[in-house]
Amino acid sequence: MDLSDRQYQILDIVKEDGPITGENIADRLHLTRATLRPDLAILTMAGYLDARPRVGYFFTGKTGSELLTEKLKKYTVQEFQSIPVVVNEDVSVYDAICTMFLEDVGTLFVVNDKALLAGVLSRKDLLRASIGNQDLREIPVHIIMTRMPNVTICYKDDLLLEAGQSLIDRQIDALPVVKEVEHGYEVMGRLTKTNLTKALVELGRDQIM
Ligand code: ADP
């Protein structure tokens, strides 16, 4: 987010003379209170200013990087997750490879006949199974997948940083975003390293000061 010249002027006034009322800031800039309202709302929402009734606006003293860190710590999985790509545990390794290419993903989630999470398939799982001369059309994916309960999962309300830590700790590329149901988990989303990269880039673009 880029601040306008006027917003920088407001910050300077509040830094010097805060706490100061909106009306007084408006007077100083020879503007009406109404003209200033959106700017004050933006600066307050971004965390630079805080307002107390009957006291006025004051500078929070937080730097741009502190505000960015606060924002990053609040990101949740659901804000950045992608659509999951799911295959049944009985499909063949050959079909799973085709699905991975067609859907352009690096991780497939495997479900059982009740549509509950049964396992995970990564690119290397499929490559490993392809070494040798087995007929990949004859091998069901449940033979080669990483199976439950060894699958690392996350929930939509988890903090993005915690999910990222799981990816690092387990040295994996993706987590299924799940919902707990009777007898297991339904797969609701997919959280990948790419999603985390997007969060980081979005945050960088928001940098203000
Ligand atoms: P790659 O194939 O590129 O190495 P990963 O690093 O994601 O991909 O996978 C490495 C191994 O970890 C694979 O055997 C895969 O089945 C397993 N794996 C991937 N995601 C998970 C997960 N969420 N929970 C547990 N194991 C996983």
Side-chain angles (χ1 to χ4, degrees), residues 56-112:
Y57 291 90
F58 58 94
F59 191 57
T60 58
K62 285 180 184 157
T63 63
S65 62
E66 279 171 332
L67 293 168
L68 282 182
T69 310
E70 274 179 20
K71 201 169 167 189
L72 177 62
K73 283 183 175 165
K74 282 190 203 141
Y75 280 161
T76 58
V77 164
Q78 68 181 328
E79 294 170 72
F80 293 95
Q81 71 185 43
S82 305
I83 294 167
V85 179
V86 166
V87 293
N88 185 278
E89 61 187 346
D90 293 326
V91 304
S92 68
V93 170
Y94 182 90
D95 284 343
I97 292 172
C98 294
T99 304
M100 192 172 264
F101 274 103
L102 287 172
E103 301 285 347
D104 195 16
V105 291
T107 308
L108 298 174
F109 301 125
V110 184
V111 294
N112 61 23

Side-chain angles (χ1 to χ4, degrees), residues 180-191:
E180 204 166 349
V181 292
E182 222 182 332
H183 306 305
Y185 300 99
E186 275 175 11
V187 182
M188 314 302 291
R190 174 169 61 98
L191 189 83

